[in-house]
């Protein structure tokens, strides 16, 4: 499970958003704009023979979409 903490306007942290990912061996998690829409997306590297990474794109509502597996050679 991944907890995401958004910063409040007053400088504090909001209640965490829980992202249940179910990835057995996540290696690293990075935020970056993967699709060029100026929003931070999430990529999770995995120690998985079938998939090498998983991606969550940020939607217009500022929430993360469902995980999508990405095959990485």
């Amino acid at each position: 499970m991944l907890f995401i903490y958004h910063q409040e306007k007053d400088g504090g942290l909001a209640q965490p958003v829980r992202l249940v990912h179910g990835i057995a061996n996540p290696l690293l998690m990075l935020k970056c704009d993967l699709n060029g829409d100026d929003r931070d997306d999430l990529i999770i590297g995995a120690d998985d023979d079938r998939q090498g990474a998983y991606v969550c794109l940020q939607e217009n509502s500022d929430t993360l979409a469902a995980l999508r597996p990405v095959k990485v050679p």
Side-chain angles (χ1 to χ4, degrees):
M1 184 176 306
L2 172 65
F3 292 93
I4 300 171
Y5 294 87
H6 294 281
Q7 187 170 5
E8 298 280 0
K9 291 181 182 179
D10 66 359
L13 294 177
Q15 292 294 318
V17 175
R18 296 177 185 168
L19 177 64
V20 179
H21 54 72
I23 301 169
N25 296 311
L27 298 176
L28 74 127
M29 296 180 185
L30 301 171
K31 70 175 184 95
C32 60
D33 182 9
L34 293 169
N35 57 356
D37 64 355
D38 293 327
R39 295 179 179 276
D40 285 332
D41 306 310
L42 177 67
I43 185 165
I44 302 172
D47 185 14
D48 184 339
D49 291 338
R50 294 176 297 132
Q51 310 298 333
Y54 294 83
V55 171
C56 284
L57 298 178
Q58 188 177 158
E59 298 179 329
N60 291 337
S61 61
D62 293 332
T63 59
L64 291 172
L67 278 171
R68 296 179 188 180
V70 178
K71 191 167 197 150
V72 178

